[in-house]
Every structure is written in structure tokens, then in C-alpha cells.
Amino acid sequence: MGQKGGRDAFVSQGFDTWNKKAAFRTHVGGVDSFHNKAREKCELLTSEKQEINVVLRRQTEAEDHKYKARLRVSIIVVKLLLKTENAPKNNQLISPKIQKELVQCFAQEVLFIIREEIGQDVFALLVDESSDVSKKEQMDIVLRYVDSLGFVKERFIGLVHVKDTSSLTLKNPINEVLTSNKLSFSQIRGQGYDGASNMRGEFNGLKALILQENDIAFYVHCFAHQLQLVVVAVAKKHDGVSDFFEQISLVVYVVCASCKRKDLLREQARERVQKGLCSGELETGRGLNQETTLVRAGETRWGSHFNTLRSLMKLFADVLVVLDFVKEEGGSLANRQQASGILAYFKSYEFMFYLHMMYDILHLTGTLSKQLQRKDLDILEATSTVRGTMEALQSFRNIGFASILPKYPLFVKHTKLIL
């Protein structure tokens, strides 16, 4: 090792001259010897300040401080630029009026870009109406068009408050929104609404009023909405399915009627997940075993019924515990009778059959509905998707109670929970 020290005797050749202390000093060498460098690295490695997690945390904190410093300087510069001699104290931009003006400026810029893309070209008009949380009727207006590069775009251009939902009341605000954006009814080549009579009525509907001004503004009923209507119509005509969904609505109402019952449901679900993880029945991973509750279904969107059934199947064991609690300790006789009736219905094969069958049917129709709403879907692919869904639905005609066990493996598990 030369003058830097570090003899091989201590690592390979062996050392037996213990009485010669000079050999140790030769091995240690000077400040820049291999021995001293190794000792320094060993001390750094065992130092708490040099641990990898400490170094990474220090780097993260340093980046955080730099980011905050840049942000602080940016805010100071903006405040400085906003100051004027006439209004030195009105530069905080926290006034609701100023904030609304800023939002309006952004909206005008977006609408300007949409107008530039459409120009004098044609477009389709998409309109829907619903009430907000304050029970005010509102109408949203969307334009569908093809840009200069050939891409189909859908752009929201306005949300208008309307006094009622008559066709004439809806038509006038649409005309005002189009006019304010330098567009007109003559550019419309398509109309897309739901199946409400005030929208698609042959004589007095919004579709008819626009056709009076532009006879080539063809109306197309939303395919996804038509599918929803078909599912609703078929379900309501079948007594067993209709009773099934009434019972499901009652289950959600009884289980989620109070905070105490919701807490009990969450606690049971948490304990079940913990036991499943400890026994290995459940897997861990990102997005798995998330806390959930029973989902309340909507009246007009039957896709939400699928979410209700999915949550019920996932929390079935926990729902049984809550219903037993309500049955024994319900606050009123009516609540106890409701819980008892639901538990009795749960023990029927009809309930299990409809639960799994409607889960599969709504899963198929829900998937089809999402596919029909894809922006890049062409007519051939849409036709093929519809045909495939119809063939899958046809297979349910041959399902009976004798064949439910092999088709629905969860049927056995749920049956064991209630019997």
C-alpha cells in the first residue's frame, strides 16, 4: 500500500508479530490512508444524521422550502403589480363581486374559442334540464361539432335558470344563448334530448319548435337514455322484480335511517375486513377494502340500481347484523316489523335469485350504456356491442332455480348467512 498504509497482513497473509507495535502504526498510516478512510466511512454510516431516510427527508424539506419561497415571491410580485395610486387597498381580490368578474372573464375567453372553432359551420344541440339543490329549474346547453382537424367535440356553453319546463320557455333562453355567441338556429343539424314530452313532443315539444325554424335540425333520442327506459319498462312489468326493488329500497331506508345504524354498519364492515385480512381471505392493495355504505338508488337513473345491488352484496353480512339489531331494539314497532319482514324476505330463494340475476343484467346494460356514450364509438362498433349484449341477455331466459347454484357461486355463501 506504499506510504498510505494498509498492510495485507491484517486481511490475507495473517499477523503474528504482536510485540511489534510499529506494525499497527504502519497499517493505520497517515490521514489519507485506506484505514482512516474506511474508519471515516464507517463512522458516517453509523451516524444517525447520515441515514438514508434522514437524507431523503432533508432533501424533501429543502425542496418544500424552495417551493414556498418561490410561491411567496410570486404572490408579492402579483400584489405589487396590482397596486395603483387610486386604490392601494383594493388589491386583495377577495370580494365576491371581483371573483365573479374574474370567473366571467375566463368564461368569455372559453366561449370565444368555441365560437372560433365553430365559425359559420354547423353543430348539434344537446339540452337537458333538472332542478338544483335549491329546487330551481335549470337548463344546460351543450354543442356538439366537428373542428377543423376532424375531431368531434362536445362543449358546454351555458347554464340557464328557467321558470318552468314548457317547450316555449326552454326555446327562448336557447335562442338568447346562441345569439349572444353569434350562432343561430339555422346552423343546427341535430337535436339530442331525453324522452320527455316537453322535449320531443311531435307538435308542441322543443324539437317541433326548432324544426319550425330549421327543418333539417333532425332529432335523435339519446341511445343511452332509451336503454334506461327499456330496462325500467321491463322491470316494472314483472311483479317479482318490482317487489324486489321495493324491498331493496326499504332495506336502504331501514339500515341508513339513523347515524347509529350507519355507525354499526361501518363497525361491522371494519371488523369483517380485519378478520379477512388476518385469515388471508382478503387481499391487501391499493384501492382494496375501502370503507363503503349502502348506495341509495335514483328513480330515473337505473345505473344507480346496480351500485345499490353491488353495495348490498358486498355488505350483506353486515346488513344482517344491523337488521337483527333493529328487529330487537328498534325505536318503534313499525321499525321492528320492517326489519323482521326484510329478514324473512332475505330467507326466500326468490330474493337471492332476483339479487344475482338483476345484478348481472344491470351490469350488462350499464356496460352497454357506457360504451354507447363513448366519443370515439362508430356505428359498426355500436351495433356489434348492442348485438353482443342482446345475446348475453337472451341467455337469462333459460335460467331457473335449478341452475342458479352453478351460475351464481355467491348464492351459496349468502344463503348460508341467512339460514
Side-chain angles (χ1 to χ4, degrees):
M1 294 302 181
Q3 299 299 322
K4 294 185 178 181
R7 295 172 55 188
D8 292 337
F10 290 94
V11 293
S12 60
Q13 299 177 0
F15 181 75
D16 54 5
T17 56
W18 297 99
N19 59 333
K20 296 181 180 180
K21 299 181 180 179
F24 286 99
R25 289 193 293 269
T26 303
H27 171 74
V28 173
V31 177
D32 198 30
S33 68
F34 289 102
H35 173 88
N36 286 319
K37 285 185 176 181
R39 180 180 57 80
E40 181 182 1
K41 291 179 180 180
C42 180
E43 292 176 353
L44 291 176
L45 183 63
T46 57
S47 175
E48 182 179 354
K49 294 183 179 180
Q50 297 297 325
E51 291 182 1
I52 295 177
N53 59 339
V54 175
V55 174
L56 291 177
R57 184 167 62 250
R58 187 184 303 118
Q59 292 178 351
T60 304
E61 292 175 353
E63 291 295 328
D64 185 58
H65 289 319
K66 290 180 181 179
Y67 173 80
K68 290 181 178 179
R70 291 193 296 266
L71 180 61
R72 191 180 303 108
V73 172
S74 300
I75 294 174
I76 294 174
V77 172
V78 171
K79 287 185 175 181
L80 178 63
L81 295 176
L82 288 172
K83 285 185 176 180
T84 61
E85 296 180 358
N86 296 328
K89 296 182 179 180
N90 297 337
N91 60 354
Q92 298 182 15
L93 302 181
I94 59 175
S95 168
K97 181 180 179 180
I98 295 178
Q99 292 178 348
K100 290 180 180 179
E101 290 177 353
L102 290 174
V103 173
Q104 187 64 26
C105 291
F106 288 133
Q108 292 300 325
E109 290 295 324
V110 173
L111 290 174
F112 175 78
I113 295 175
I114 295 174
R115 291 197 301 267
E116 289 293 313
E117 287 184 334
I118 297 177
Q120 298 301 318
D121 210 339
V122 296
F123 57 86
L125 178 67
L126 309 177
V127 177
D128 197 6
E129 45 82 22
S130 64
S131 59
D132 60 7
V133 294
S134 61
K135 302 304 179 182
K136 291 183 179 179
E137 289 290 343
Q138 292 182 329
M139 175 179 61
D140 61 276
I141 305 173
V142 177
L143 301 183
R144 183 180 175 90
Y145 59 91
V146 180
D147 65 7
S148 59
L149 298 178
F151 293 101
V152 178
K153 292 185 176 181
E154 289 185 1
R155 293 293 182 262
F156 171 79
I157 65 168
L159 184 66
V160 184
H161 169 62
V162 292
K163 296 181 179 179
D164 57 70
T165 58
S166 64
S167 56
L168 186 60
T169 304
L170 298 179
K171 176 178 177 292
N172 292 333
I174 294 175
N175 187 27
E176 293 176 0
V177 171
L178 293 179
T179 303
S180 64
N181 288 282
K182 299 180 181 180
L183 303 171
S184 66
F185 282 136
S186 62
Q187 295 176 260
I188 299 178
R189 292 297 182 270
Q191 304 180 64
Y193 318 127
D194 58 20
S197 59
N198 64 328
M199 305 298 286
R200 69 179 185 94
E202 292 293 332
F203 302 103
N204 298 319
L206 178 61
K207 174 198 73 173
L209 295 179
I210 294 180
L211 283 172
Q212 292 176 5
E213 298 192 22
N214 182 3
D215 57 359
I216 56 176
F218 300 104
Y219 167 73
V220 178
H221 190 174
C222 173
F223 288 164
H225 188 264
Q226 288 188 56
L227 178 62
Q228 293 280 334
L229 294 179
V230 170
V231 175
V232 173
V234 173
K236 288 184 176 180
K237 287 185 178 181
H238 194 285
D239 293 338
V241 176
S242 179
D243 293 340
F244 167 75
F245 280 109
E246 287 182 4
Q247 290 291 333
I248 295 298
S249 299
L250 184 60
V251 170
V252 177
Y253 170 76
V254 172
V255 174
C256 302
S258 67
C259 296
K260 184 177 182 179
R261 298 177 192 177
K262 289 182 179 180
D263 290 340
L264 177 59
L265 181 67
R266 283 192 288 264
E267 181 65 22
Q268 290 296 320
R270 184 183 63 81
E271 293 180 359
R272 174 176 52 81
V273 170
Q274 286 183 344
K275 291 180 180 178
L277 294 176
C278 294
S279 62
E281 296 181 2
L282 296 179
E283 297 181 356
T284 59
R286 184 175 182 181
L288 299 178
N289 307 315
Q290 297 293 315
E291 181 178 299
T292 183
T293 185
L294 287 181
V295 179
R296 192 178 300 275
E299 291 296 329
T300 58
R301 298 186 179 275
W302 269 63
S304 63
H305 286 71
F306 172 73
N307 295 329
T308 301
L309 297 185
R310 181 170 58 182
S311 63
L312 176 60
M313 294 176 71
K314 184 177 181 180
L315 301 172
F316 191 77
D318 313 313
V319 169
L320 292 178
V321 174
V322 177
L323 290 175
D324 283 329
F325 170 79
V326 178
K327 177 183 176 182
E328 299 297 331
E329 303 182 23
S332 64
L333 178 61
N335 288 339
R336 295 192 294 271
Q337 290 177 342
Q338 287 176 338
S340 179
I342 294 172
L343 289 172
Y345 181 67
F346 277 179
K347 294 181 179 180
S348 65
Y349 280 96
E350 287 81 0
F351 164 74
M352 285 299 172
F353 178 79
Y354 288 130
L355 174 64
H356 292 277
M357 185 183 70
M358 291 308 302
Y359 177 89
D360 281 355
I361 291 177
L362 292 178
H363 183 265
L364 286 172
T365 56
T367 302
L368 176 60
S369 178
K370 292 179 180 178
Q371 290 294 319
L372 293 176
Q373 297 178 59
R374 281 173 43 199
K375 294 183 179 180
D376 59 343
L377 184 70
D378 57 54
I379 188 64
L380 295 178
E381 188 178 359
T383 303
S384 176
T385 304
V386 172
R387 186 183 300 112
T389 304
M390 291 178 62
E391 292 175 357
L393 291 174
Q394 287 291 334
S395 64
F396 286 94
R397 299 180 60 182
N398 302 322
I399 296 177
F401 288 107
S403 59
I404 192 174
L405 294 179
K407 183 171 180 60
Y408 302 118
L410 287 177
F411 178 84
V412 178
K413 179 180 179 181
H414 287 166
T415 303
K416 291 179 178 179
L417 289 172
I418 60 179
L419 294 180

